[in-house]
Amino acid sequence: MGIVLGIESSCDETAAALVDSERRILAQRIASQDEAHRPYGGVVPEIAARAHAERLAPLIESTLADAGLGLDDVDAIAATAGPGLIGGVMVGLVTAKALAMAAGKPLIAINHLEGHALSPRLADAALAYPYLLLLVSGGHCQVLLVEGVGRYSRLATTIDDALGEAFDKTAKILGLGYPGGPAVERLAREGNPRAVPLPRPLVGSGEPHFSFAGLKSAVLRAHQAGTHSAADLAASFQQAAIDCVVDRTRIALSGVTGQGITALVVAGGVAANQAMRGALETLAGEFGLPFIAPPLVLCTDNAAMIAWAGVERLGQSDPLDFAARPRWPLDPDALPVRGAGVKA
Ligand code: KG4
Ligand code: ZN
Protein backbone atom coordinates (compact mmCIF):
# COMPACT_ATOMS: atom_id res chain seq x y z
CA MET A 1 0.00 0.00 0.00
CA GLY A 2 1.21 3.49 -0.76
CA ILE A 3 -0.21 7.00 -0.75
CA VAL A 4 0.94 9.70 -3.16
CA LEU A 5 0.31 13.43 -2.98
CA GLY A 6 -0.12 14.75 -6.53
CA ILE A 7 0.25 18.38 -7.63
CA GLU A 8 -0.89 19.84 -10.97
CA SER A 9 -0.25 23.41 -12.15
CA SER A 10 0.74 23.20 -15.83
CA CYS A 11 -2.11 25.24 -17.29
CA ASP A 12 -5.04 26.99 -15.63
CA GLU A 13 -6.11 24.50 -12.97
CA THR A 14 -4.39 24.54 -9.59
CA ALA A 15 -4.92 21.06 -8.18
CA ALA A 16 -3.83 18.69 -5.43
CA ALA A 17 -4.92 15.12 -4.71
CA LEU A 18 -4.13 12.13 -2.54
CA VAL A 19 -4.41 8.73 -4.22
CA ASP A 20 -3.48 5.32 -2.87
CA SER A 21 -2.28 2.19 -4.60
CA GLU A 22 -5.77 0.68 -4.20
CA ARG A 23 -6.98 3.34 -6.66
CA ARG A 24 -8.80 5.26 -3.95
CA ILE A 25 -8.90 9.03 -4.39
CA LEU A 26 -8.61 9.98 -0.71
CA ALA A 27 -9.09 13.69 -1.42
CA GLN A 28 -8.84 16.03 -4.35
CA ARG A 29 -9.24 19.75 -4.82
CA ILE A 30 -9.21 21.74 -8.05
CA ALA A 31 -9.19 25.53 -8.19
CA SER A 32 -10.11 26.67 -11.67
CA GLN A 33 -8.85 30.00 -12.99
CA ASP A 34 -11.54 30.31 -15.67
CA GLU A 35 -12.80 33.62 -14.25
CA ALA A 36 -9.33 35.20 -14.27
CA HIS A 37 -8.67 34.30 -17.92
CA ARG A 38 -12.18 34.77 -19.35
CA PRO A 39 -11.76 38.49 -20.19
CA TYR A 40 -8.79 37.56 -22.42
CA GLY A 41 -10.46 34.64 -24.21
CA GLY A 42 -7.63 32.26 -23.34
CA VAL A 43 -5.04 31.41 -20.71
CA VAL A 44 -2.64 34.27 -19.92
CA PRO A 45 0.60 32.61 -18.68
CA GLU A 46 1.60 35.39 -16.27
CA ILE A 47 -1.84 35.49 -14.64
CA ALA A 48 -1.84 31.69 -14.41
CA ALA A 49 1.57 31.54 -12.72
CA ARG A 50 0.61 34.19 -10.16
CA ALA A 51 -2.66 32.44 -9.37
CA HIS A 52 -0.89 29.08 -8.88
CA ALA A 53 1.62 30.76 -6.56
CA GLU A 54 -1.18 32.25 -4.44
CA ARG A 55 -3.41 29.22 -4.29
CA LEU A 56 -1.30 26.08 -4.32
CA ALA A 57 0.04 25.90 -0.75
CA PRO A 58 -3.35 26.47 0.96
CA LEU A 59 -4.94 24.05 -1.52
CA ILE A 60 -2.48 21.30 -0.57
CA GLU A 61 -3.13 22.02 3.10
CA SER A 62 -6.91 21.64 2.62
CA THR A 63 -6.48 18.48 0.54
CA LEU A 64 -4.45 16.85 3.33
CA ALA A 65 -7.03 18.05 5.88
CA ASP A 66 -9.91 16.60 3.78
CA ALA A 67 -8.26 13.18 3.96
CA GLY A 68 -7.26 13.63 7.60
CA LEU A 69 -3.64 13.01 6.65
CA GLY A 70 -0.32 14.76 7.21
CA LEU A 71 2.75 14.81 5.00
CA ASP A 72 4.24 12.06 7.16
CA ASP A 73 1.49 9.73 5.94
CA VAL A 74 2.35 10.04 2.25
CA ASP A 75 4.91 7.84 0.54
CA ALA A 76 5.89 10.23 -2.25
CA ILE A 77 5.17 13.64 -3.67
CA ALA A 78 4.42 13.69 -7.40
CA ALA A 79 4.21 16.92 -9.36
CA THR A 80 3.75 17.82 -13.00
CA ALA A 81 7.22 18.84 -14.23
CA GLY A 82 6.10 19.60 -17.81
CA PRO A 83 5.07 20.05 -20.52
CA GLY A 84 3.03 23.20 -20.02
CA LEU A 85 3.20 26.89 -19.21
CA ILE A 86 6.59 27.12 -17.58
CA GLY A 87 5.71 29.63 -14.84
CA GLY A 88 2.91 27.44 -13.53
CA VAL A 89 4.91 24.22 -13.83
CA MET A 90 7.72 25.82 -11.80
CA VAL A 91 5.33 26.82 -9.01
CA GLY A 92 4.06 23.23 -8.66
CA LEU A 93 7.45 21.58 -9.03
CA VAL A 94 9.24 23.91 -6.58
CA THR A 95 6.44 23.43 -4.05
CA ALA A 96 6.75 19.66 -4.41
CA LYS A 97 10.51 19.84 -3.98
CA ALA A 98 10.19 21.91 -0.81
CA LEU A 99 7.62 19.51 0.66
CA ALA A 100 9.70 16.48 -0.31
CA MET A 101 12.77 17.99 1.29
CA ALA A 102 10.98 19.09 4.47
CA ALA A 103 9.17 15.77 4.96
CA GLY A 104 12.02 13.57 3.78
CA LYS A 105 9.84 11.99 1.06
CA PRO A 106 10.79 11.07 -2.51
CA LEU A 107 9.97 13.53 -5.27
CA ILE A 108 8.48 12.03 -8.45
CA ALA A 109 8.53 14.36 -11.47
CA ILE A 110 5.58 13.52 -13.69
CA ASN A 111 5.05 14.22 -17.37
CA HIS A 112 1.58 15.81 -17.55
CA LEU A 113 0.84 13.76 -20.68
CA GLU A 114 1.70 10.58 -18.80
CA GLY A 115 -0.83 11.67 -16.18
CA HIS A 116 -3.50 11.80 -18.90
CA ALA A 117 -2.23 8.59 -20.51
CA LEU A 118 -2.45 6.54 -17.30
CA SER A 119 -5.62 8.18 -15.91
CA PRO A 120 -7.87 5.48 -17.43
CA ARG A 121 -6.06 2.91 -15.25
CA LEU A 122 -6.94 4.87 -12.13
CA ALA A 123 -10.61 4.68 -13.07
CA ASP A 124 -10.55 1.10 -14.33
CA ALA A 125 -8.51 -1.55 -12.51
CA ALA A 126 -9.16 -4.06 -15.30
CA LEU A 127 -7.49 -1.96 -18.01
CA ALA A 128 -4.32 -3.86 -18.98
CA TYR A 129 -1.43 -2.96 -21.26
CA PRO A 130 -1.06 -2.59 -24.17
CA TYR A 131 -3.86 -0.21 -25.08
CA LEU A 132 -4.36 2.28 -27.86
CA LEU A 133 -4.75 5.77 -26.43
CA LEU A 134 -6.27 8.78 -28.13
CA LEU A 135 -4.93 11.73 -26.14
CA VAL A 136 -6.92 14.86 -26.94
CA SER A 137 -6.39 18.03 -24.91
CA GLY A 138 -5.94 21.76 -25.34
CA GLY A 139 -2.31 21.33 -26.35
CA HIS A 140 -2.12 17.84 -27.84
CA CYS A 141 -3.80 15.47 -30.23
CA GLN A 142 -1.98 12.16 -30.41
CA VAL A 143 -2.52 8.45 -30.77
CA LEU A 144 -0.18 6.46 -28.55
CA LEU A 145 0.46 2.78 -28.10
CA VAL A 146 0.73 2.43 -24.30
CA GLU A 147 2.71 -0.71 -23.47
CA GLY A 148 3.56 0.08 -19.85
CA VAL A 149 4.65 2.87 -17.54
CA GLY A 150 7.15 4.94 -19.51
CA ARG A 151 6.61 2.85 -22.65
CA TYR A 152 4.76 5.01 -25.14
CA SER A 153 4.97 4.89 -28.93
CA ARG A 154 3.44 7.82 -30.71
CA LEU A 155 1.60 6.56 -33.78
CA ALA A 156 0.02 9.85 -34.78
CA THR A 157 0.00 13.53 -33.95
CA THR A 158 -1.45 16.77 -35.28
CA ILE A 159 0.37 18.64 -37.99
CA ASP A 160 -1.13 21.95 -36.83
CA ASP A 161 -3.74 22.62 -34.11
CA ALA A 162 -4.64 20.38 -31.19
CA LEU A 163 -8.27 19.23 -31.05
CA GLY A 164 -9.07 21.21 -27.87
CA GLU A 165 -7.49 24.25 -29.49
CA ALA A 166 -9.84 23.85 -32.47
CA PHE A 167 -12.83 23.71 -30.08
CA ASP A 168 -11.54 26.78 -28.21
CA LYS A 169 -10.96 28.77 -31.41
CA THR A 170 -14.39 27.82 -32.74
CA ALA A 171 -15.91 28.99 -29.47
CA LYS A 172 -14.07 32.28 -29.82
CA ILE A 173 -15.30 32.73 -33.42
CA LEU A 174 -18.88 32.04 -32.30
CA GLY A 175 -18.51 34.37 -29.31
CA LEU A 176 -19.08 31.58 -26.78
CA GLY A 177 -16.26 32.61 -24.46
CA TYR A 178 -13.69 30.59 -22.62
CA PRO A 179 -13.21 27.66 -22.03
CA GLY A 180 -14.62 26.78 -25.40
CA GLY A 181 -15.01 23.01 -25.57
CA PRO A 182 -17.94 22.59 -23.19
CA ALA A 183 -19.69 25.68 -24.65
CA VAL A 184 -19.40 24.37 -28.22
CA GLU A 185 -20.72 20.97 -27.12
CA ARG A 186 -23.72 22.56 -25.36
CA LEU A 187 -24.65 24.76 -28.34
CA ALA A 188 -24.08 21.88 -30.79
CA ARG A 189 -26.98 20.00 -29.16
CA GLU A 190 -29.33 22.67 -30.52
CA GLY A 191 -27.94 22.69 -34.07
CA ASN A 192 -27.96 20.54 -37.20
CA PRO A 193 -24.61 18.76 -37.69
CA ARG A 194 -25.24 18.55 -41.48
CA ALA A 195 -26.27 22.20 -41.97
CA VAL A 196 -22.87 23.66 -42.85
CA PRO A 197 -20.55 21.93 -45.33
CA LEU A 198 -17.13 21.88 -43.67
CA PRO A 199 -13.86 20.15 -44.66
CA ARG A 200 -12.53 17.00 -42.97
CA PRO A 201 -8.74 17.56 -43.23
CA LEU A 202 -6.61 14.43 -43.86
CA VAL A 203 -9.62 12.10 -43.86
CA GLY A 204 -8.77 9.23 -46.20
CA SER A 205 -5.02 9.65 -45.76
CA GLY A 206 -3.15 6.39 -45.14
CA GLU A 207 -1.21 7.75 -42.17
CA PRO A 208 -3.20 8.41 -39.01
CA HIS A 209 -2.14 12.04 -38.41
CA PHE A 210 -4.52 14.91 -37.60
CA SER A 211 -5.06 18.43 -38.91
CA PHE A 212 -7.62 20.95 -37.69
CA ALA A 213 -6.37 24.35 -38.88
CA GLY A 214 -8.31 24.20 -42.17
CA LEU A 215 -11.50 23.21 -40.35
CA LYS A 216 -11.21 26.15 -37.98
CA SER A 217 -10.62 28.57 -40.90
CA ALA A 218 -13.67 27.17 -42.68
CA VAL A 219 -15.76 27.80 -39.55
CA LEU A 220 -14.49 31.39 -39.53
CA ARG A 221 -15.42 31.91 -43.21
CA ALA A 222 -18.84 30.34 -42.74
CA HIS A 223 -19.45 32.52 -39.68
CA GLN A 224 -18.41 35.66 -41.57
CA ALA A 225 -20.76 34.74 -44.43
CA GLY A 226 -23.55 35.07 -41.87
CA THR A 227 -25.84 32.48 -43.47
CA HIS A 228 -25.93 29.97 -40.64
CA SER A 229 -26.93 30.08 -37.00
CA ALA A 230 -24.27 29.71 -34.32
CA ALA A 231 -25.92 26.45 -33.23
CA ASP A 232 -25.69 24.97 -36.74
CA LEU A 233 -22.06 26.09 -36.99
CA ALA A 234 -21.21 24.56 -33.60
CA ALA A 235 -22.96 21.29 -34.47
CA SER A 236 -21.38 21.11 -37.95
CA PHE A 237 -17.92 21.89 -36.57
CA GLN A 238 -18.24 19.25 -33.86
CA GLN A 239 -19.44 16.67 -36.38
CA ALA A 240 -16.54 17.43 -38.75
CA ALA A 241 -14.04 17.21 -35.88
CA ILE A 242 -15.51 13.90 -34.72
CA ASP A 243 -15.49 12.52 -38.28
CA CYS A 244 -11.76 13.39 -38.48
CA VAL A 245 -10.98 11.81 -35.11
CA VAL A 246 -12.87 8.62 -35.92
CA ASP A 247 -11.31 8.23 -39.39
CA ARG A 248 -7.77 8.91 -38.12
CA THR A 249 -8.16 6.61 -35.11
CA ARG A 250 -9.55 3.87 -37.38
CA ILE A 251 -6.34 4.04 -39.45
CA ALA A 252 -4.25 3.86 -36.26
CA LEU A 253 -6.26 0.86 -35.00
CA SER A 254 -5.88 -0.91 -38.36
CA GLY A 255 -2.11 -0.50 -38.01
CA VAL A 256 -1.91 -2.31 -34.67
CA THR A 257 -4.21 -5.27 -35.26
CA GLY A 258 -2.55 -8.48 -34.11
CA GLN A 259 -0.55 -6.68 -31.43
CA GLY A 260 -2.80 -7.76 -28.56
CA ILE A 261 -4.42 -4.38 -27.95
CA THR A 262 -6.80 -4.69 -24.98
CA ALA A 263 -8.91 -1.55 -25.50
CA LEU A 264 -9.43 1.74 -27.27
CA VAL A 265 -8.94 4.41 -24.62
CA VAL A 266 -9.53 8.16 -24.75
CA ALA A 267 -8.08 10.69 -22.30
CA GLY A 268 -7.44 14.44 -22.01
CA GLY A 269 -9.85 17.36 -21.74
CA VAL A 270 -11.66 16.78 -25.06
CA ALA A 271 -12.44 13.23 -23.89
CA ALA A 272 -15.17 14.96 -21.85
CA ASN A 273 -17.10 15.45 -25.12
CA GLN A 274 -20.07 13.09 -25.02
CA ALA A 275 -20.70 13.08 -28.78
CA MET A 276 -17.09 12.10 -29.42
CA ARG A 277 -17.24 9.39 -26.78
CA GLY A 278 -20.26 7.88 -28.51
CA ALA A 279 -18.55 7.87 -31.92
CA LEU A 280 -15.39 6.30 -30.49
CA GLU A 281 -17.38 3.63 -28.71
CA THR A 282 -18.92 2.63 -32.06
CA LEU A 283 -15.45 2.60 -33.63
CA ALA A 284 -14.06 0.35 -30.87
CA GLY A 285 -16.96 -2.01 -31.54
CA GLU A 286 -15.89 -2.28 -35.21
CA PHE A 287 -12.60 -3.76 -33.96
CA GLY A 288 -14.24 -5.89 -31.25
CA LEU A 289 -12.51 -3.83 -28.56
CA PRO A 290 -13.85 -2.39 -25.33
CA PHE A 291 -13.96 1.41 -25.22
CA ILE A 292 -12.66 3.03 -22.05
CA ALA A 293 -13.06 6.69 -21.12
CA PRO A 294 -12.34 8.01 -17.63
CA PRO A 295 -15.04 9.94 -15.74
CA LEU A 296 -15.22 13.61 -16.74
CA VAL A 297 -13.35 14.93 -13.69
CA LEU A 298 -10.37 12.74 -14.61
CA CYS A 299 -10.43 13.89 -18.26
CA THR A 300 -9.80 17.60 -17.79
CA ASP A 301 -6.67 18.65 -15.90
CA ASN A 302 -6.61 17.33 -12.34
CA ALA A 303 -4.12 16.20 -9.73
CA ALA A 304 -5.56 12.72 -9.13
CA MET A 305 -4.08 11.60 -12.46
CA ILE A 306 -0.70 13.04 -11.44
CA ALA A 307 -0.87 11.29 -8.05
CA TRP A 308 -1.87 8.06 -9.84
CA ALA A 309 1.10 8.33 -12.23
CA GLY A 310 3.15 8.72 -9.03
CA VAL A 311 1.58 5.52 -7.64
CA GLU A 312 2.50 3.71 -10.86
CA ARG A 313 6.06 4.99 -10.37
CA LEU A 314 6.30 4.37 -6.59
CA GLY A 315 9.81 3.28 -5.67
CA GLN A 316 11.38 5.76 -8.08
CA SER A 317 12.56 9.22 -7.17
CA ASP A 318 13.86 12.24 -9.03
CA PRO A 319 16.64 14.60 -7.91
CA LEU A 320 15.69 17.87 -6.19
CA ASP A 321 17.35 19.80 -9.04
CA PHE A 322 14.99 18.26 -11.64
CA ALA A 323 14.30 21.12 -14.06
CA ALA A 324 10.81 22.07 -15.25
CA ARG A 325 10.34 21.19 -18.91
CA PRO A 326 8.17 23.44 -21.11
CA ARG A 327 8.33 20.71 -23.78
CA TRP A 328 8.50 17.02 -22.90
CA PRO A 329 7.30 14.53 -25.52
CA LEU A 330 6.02 11.18 -24.24
CA ASP A 331 7.80 9.42 -27.08
CA PRO A 332 11.10 11.24 -27.68
CA ASP A 333 11.93 8.82 -30.52
CA ALA A 334 8.87 9.73 -32.60
CA LEU A 335 9.89 11.11 -35.97
CA PRO A 336 8.80 14.62 -36.87
CA VAL A 337 5.76 14.60 -39.11
CA ARG A 338 6.04 16.12 -42.55
CA GLY A 339 4.08 19.36 -42.65
CA ALA A 340 4.08 19.69 -38.87
CA GLY A 341 4.80 23.04 -37.27
CA VAL A 342 6.33 23.50 -33.85
CA LYS A 343 3.97 21.24 -31.95
CA ALA A 344 5.14 17.88 -30.61
O1 KG4 B 1 -6.59 18.26 -20.67
P1 KG4 B 1 -7.07 19.66 -20.53
O2 KG4 B 1 -7.93 20.01 -19.35
O3 KG4 B 1 -5.86 20.67 -20.53
C1 KG4 B 1 -4.74 20.49 -21.33
O4 KG4 B 1 -3.82 19.74 -20.90
O5 KG4 B 1 -4.78 21.04 -22.45
O6 KG4 B 1 -7.84 20.01 -21.87
C2 KG4 B 1 -8.46 21.25 -22.05
C3 KG4 B 1 -9.12 21.26 -23.40
C4 KG4 B 1 -9.65 22.64 -23.78
O7 KG4 B 1 -9.26 22.92 -25.10
C5 KG4 B 1 -11.16 22.46 -23.66
O8 KG4 B 1 -11.89 23.33 -24.52
C6 KG4 B 1 -11.33 21.01 -24.06
O9 KG4 B 1 -10.24 20.37 -23.43
N1 KG4 B 1 -12.61 20.47 -23.58
C7 KG4 B 1 -13.59 20.04 -24.41
C8 KG4 B 1 -14.67 19.66 -23.58
N2 KG4 B 1 -14.30 19.86 -22.28
C9 KG4 B 1 -13.03 20.35 -22.31
N3 KG4 B 1 -13.65 19.96 -25.75
C10 KG4 B 1 -14.79 19.49 -26.30
N4 KG4 B 1 -15.87 19.12 -25.58
C11 KG4 B 1 -15.87 19.18 -24.22
N5 KG4 B 1 -16.94 18.81 -23.53
ZN1 ZN C 1 -3.98 18.29 -19.70
Side-chain angles (χ1 to χ4, degrees):
M1 243 285 281
I3 299 176
V4 174
L5 168 65
I7 295 172
E8 161 60 34
S9 59
S10 66
C11 192
D12 59 343
E13 323 283 350
T14 314
L18 289 154
V19 173
D20 72 13
S21 43
E22 306 289 311
R23 293 182 161 76
R24 282 183 293 233
I25 299 175
L26 306 175
Q28 80 160 319
R29 288 200 175 221
I30 304 181
S32 160
Q33 303 174 6
D34 285 354
E35 292 305 325
H37 300 288
R38 187 162 287 132
Y40 307 94
V43 180
V44 182
E46 174 73 19
I47 292 175
R50 285 171 183 270
H52 289 305
E54 281 164 21
R55 294 178 188 179
L56 183 57
L59 193 90
I60 293 171
E61 201 172 31
S62 334
T63 305
L64 285 163
D66 289 347
L69 296 176
L71 272 186
D72 285 346
D73 302 311
V74 311
D75 296 282
I77 296 163
T80 295
L85 300 173
I86 193 68
V89 173
M90 283 169 69
V91 170
L93 184 58
V94 166
T95 304
K97 288 174 178 178
L99 295 176
M101 194 164 62
K105 303 289 179 176
L107 167 78
I108 308 179
I110 300 293
N111 183 320
H112 177 85
L113 300 174
E114 176 170 80
H116 281 302
L118 300 180
S119 64
R121 282 173 48 85
L122 166 58
D124 190 337
L127 176 59
Y129 302 117
Y131 53 87
L132 195 80
L133 172 75
L134 173 66
L135 175 50
V136 278
S137 69
H140 296 85
C141 184
Q142 306 186 341
V143 178
L144 296 150
L145 179 62
V146 180
E147 293 179 283
V149 180
R151 294 174 58 207
Y152 313 103
S153 309
R154 196 192 74 190
L155 306 180
T157 189
T158 176
I159 63 167
D160 41 56
D161 293 352
L163 182 55
E165 196 179 348
F167 269 91
D168 292 335
K169 286 176 176 170
T170 295
K172 209 167 182 175
I173 292 167
L174 300 180
L176 304 180
Y178 172 84
V184 170
E185 181 172 25
R186 263 194 309 277
L187 187 59
R189 286 195 205 107
E190 293 157 32
N192 172 3
R194 305 283 160 207
V196 190
L198 292 171
R200 269 98 174 130
L202 293 185
V203 163
S205 139
E207 283 190 288
H209 298 304
F210 301 87
S211 168
F212 297 105
L215 173 57
K216 167 206 66 193
S217 310
V219 171
L220 178 60
R221 283 193 300 275
H223 174 68
Q224 285 167 341
T227 43
H228 295 282
S229 70
D232 281 352
L233 279 163
S236 300
F237 160 78
Q238 181 172 276
Q239 188 59 52
I242 290 172
D243 288 352
C244 294
V245 167
V246 167
D247 176 80
R248 313 288 61 227
T249 309
R250 182 183 288 114
I251 298 293
L253 277 169
S254 310
V256 293
T257 49
Q259 292 190 33
I261 301 295
T262 63
L264 172 63
V265 178
V266 67
V270 189
N273 188 286
Q274 296 294 343
M276 202 183 62
R277 284 183 182 229
L280 288 171
E281 184 157 25
T282 306
L283 175 67
E286 277 178 35
F287 288 82
L289 290 173
F291 171 67
I292 312 260
L296 299 194
V297 22
L298 290 181
C299 287
T300 46
D301 285 348
N302 66 89
M305 70 181 190
I306 303 302
W308 174 251
V311 169
E312 297 243 28
R313 287 185 175 276
L314 261 178
Q316 303 179 14
S317 72
D318 289 297
L320 289 178
D321 63 356
F322 193 101
R325 300 175 178 177
R327 289 167 54 76
W328 187 1
L330 268 187
D331 177 4
D333 299 329
L335 298 171
V337 181
R338 203 145 50 103
V342 289
K343 296 199 176 91

